[in-house]
Amino acid sequence: MTERTKVIEAIDLHKEFMVKIKGDGKVREIKSLKAVDGINLHVCKGETLGIVGESGCGKTTTAKLFLGLHNATMGSILLGDKDISHLKGKELKNFRKHAQMIFQDPYESLNPRFKIKNTIMEPLEIHGIGKDKAERYEMAKQMLSEAGLKPPEEYMDRYPHEMSGGQKQRVAIARALVLNPDFLIADEPVSMLDVSIRASILKLLRKMITEKDLAGIIISHDISLIRYISDRTAVMYLGKIVEQGSTEELIEKRYHPYTKALLEAAPNPDPEVKFTLENIKGEAPNPVDIPKGCRFHPRCPECMEICKMITPQEYDMGNGHKVMCHLYGDKNE
Ligand code: SF4
């Protein structure tokens, strides 16, 4: 198999917030919240990595670290061979050309006072791309067409309120890709859309990532969606990546009890079928009070005594498939 080129890589990445714990209207305590707790991830050119986990597991914080919207507490993020985890000022502005985001809510991500053409031309103007307005107009038109809004002239002068949710998400995708970024992050990109159009938006994202040779990161709580779109999958639980590997192998082998539970909750790979977590016992613990040992142990059906005391290390199961669980402790001995 040919080796793919890594575009972006997180190495032992940490993000810690200090949060105020209140009681009776007063601050009673200040606690540390380790939203991202030592993760290692990478994405290659033309590849889609899905990050899946329940709400509050650190997926969105991870996305913000990759985009330079948060500074890392520890560890690094390499874009090529440059560490971008603490960029500021002009360097940060230049980096933003390389990193784009699609948000969950297309209703709020577009400026309601901007015509569609201005929405897509704005990032080009900010970064000084295109020799004049006419060239930027043509670039915006071309991008809109690639995002499936054809003929583009029909949409260029519309306002967001004159478009459907799916059309607005296509505009958001066009705006993100017009800068020709190296990587694209989509955070729950279809959760606000009607189920009937989810698959078409996911197909468009997948097509754009492959054809433009981007590194794509798709974030969702829904493993059926991640399974549908991703080449590789990382399962995140309370700030740690507990299992990662090629999506096919991860689905087939599903080593970690949390991955098994997520998949049992969502046996259908169709993104139009609603996913629920009802068959996972209990709720994820509060991230300011992470359990000792394996953080999944209070909910784990396979919990052993060692799990309550010692944090499992990551075990290499072969083919880039890694799992953080004591059940596989003999694999690397
Ligand atoms: Fe379950 Fe133990 Fe594995 Fe944690 S380390 S997932 S508690 S078996």
Side-chain angles (χ1 to χ4, degrees):
M1 202 169 75
T2 36
E3 187 90 347
R4 289 175 118 174
T5 314
K6 280 183 196 172
V7 174
I8 190 147
E9 181 172 21
I11 301 169
D12 194 25
L13 190 65
H14 293 250
K15 180 64 190 175
E16 186 175 351
F17 298 99
M18 300 314 287
V19 292
K20 292 174 183 165
I21 311 293
K22 289 189 178 167
D24 298 331
K26 291 184 184 156
V27 176
R28 299 286 175 192
E29 217 180 329
I30 295 185
K31 282 194 163 188
S32 135
L33 187 160
K34 290 177 179 162
V36 174
D37 197 8
I39 66 168
N40 293 291
L41 278 178
H42 70 269
V43 200
C44 297
K45 262 176 176 278
E47 180 184 63
T48 305
L49 171 75
I51 305 181
V52 64
E54 288 162 273
S55 146
C57 71
K59 312 182 292 287
T60 299
T61 305
T62 303
K64 289 184 172 172
L65 287 162
F66 273 124
L67 291 163
L69 299 172
H70 285 319
N71 282 336
T73 310
M74 214 171 93
S76 45
I77 302 171
L78 301 180
L79 179 68
D81 53 7
K82 186 174 171 62
D83 188 351
I84 49 104
S85 57
H86 288 87
L87 295 181
K88 287 196 176 71
K90 205 171 166 198
E91 272 199 317
L92 182 60
K93 187 185 164 197
N94 283 339
F95 162 71
R96 292 253 157 86
K97 265 194 291 197
H98 301 284
Q100 290 294 308
M101 174 101 179
I102 310 279
F103 295 93
Q104 181 175 13
D105 189 353
Y107 303 88
E108 285 188 3
S109 65
L110 304 179
N111 187 331
R113 292 188 303 270
F114 273 24
K115 287 184 176 175
I116 299 309
K117 64 181 178 192
N118 300 113
T119 291
I120 305 175
M121 287 161 69
E122 188 192 35
L124 296 171
E125 281 159 28
I126 291 171
H127 291 285
I129 298 170
K131 69 176 184 310
D132 54 23
K133 206 169 170 180
E135 188 169 311
R136 288 194 276 271
Y137 182 89
E138 286 307 314
M139 291 166 88
K141 209 168 78 173
Q142 167 67 23
M143 205 58 244
L144 211 50
S145 172
E146 284 184 45
L149 293 173
K150 294 178 192 170
E153 296 83 356
E154 242 182 57
Y155 300 93
M156 293 289 269
D157 283 308
R158 289 196 198 178
Y159 286 95
H161 73 268
E162 297 172 301
M163 305 186 84
S164 69
Q167 288 172 336
K168 275 188 268 201
Q169 200 58 311
R170 286 176 189 272
V171 172
I173 292 169
R175 177 183 158 95
L177 296 183
V178 76
L179 286 174
N180 203 14
D182 294 313
F183 74 98
L184 176 75
I185 301 185
D187 189 357
E188 303 279 8
V190 295
S191 62
M192 304 289 285
L193 302 179
D194 194 275
V195 287
S196 62
I197 51 168
R198 287 182 183 177
S200 63
I201 297 294
L202 291 174
K203 271 186 195 149
L204 172 66
L205 271 172
R206 169 97 201 176
K207 178 172 167 270
M208 292 292 208
I209 289 165
T210 312
E211 283 180 1
K212 294 186 179 294
D213 220 9
L214 307 176
I217 299 179
I218 311 287
I219 290 175
S220 180
H221 68 283
D222 183 347
I223 201 164
S224 58
L225 182 156
I226 292 295
R227 175 181 185 174
Y228 182 77
I229 193 172
S230 307
D231 299 303
R232 283 192 302 112
T233 295
V235 179
M236 197 161 185
Y237 188 77
L238 282 181
K240 285 204 181 288
I241 302 295
V242 295
E243 183 162 3
Q244 64 173 305
S246 80
T247 301
E248 206 177 319
E249 194 171 308
L250 185 133
I251 301 293
E252 192 195 317
K253 299 203 168 145
R254 51 182 85 178
Y255 291 115
H256 198 283
Y258 183 57
T259 311
K260 287 181 200 167
L262 285 174
L263 281 162
E264 279 157 20
N268 198 325
D270 185 344
E272 291 183 22
V273 175
K274 189 163 168 29
F275 164 70
T276 71
L277 283 169
E278 276 163 21
N279 66 346
I280 300 182
K281 272 188 277 167
E283 292 188 353
N286 188 330
V288 295
D289 271 319
I290 288 178
K292 193 169 174 210
C294 170
R295 49 196 68 195
F296 186 56
H297 89 254
R299 302 170 84 190
C300 181
E302 298 180 63
C303 178
M304 305 171 285
E305 278 312 303
I306 188 178
C307 308
K308 298 175 188 169
M309 304 301 295
I310 298 171
T311 303
Q313 65 184 77
E314 189 175 65
Y315 297 105
D316 190 340
M317 311 302 283
N319 294 331
H321 192 163
K322 293 172 184 169
V323 60
M324 196 176 270
C325 172
H326 288 304
L327 290 170
Y328 308 98
D330 56 353
K331 287 283 169 199
N332 295 166
E333 278 168 14

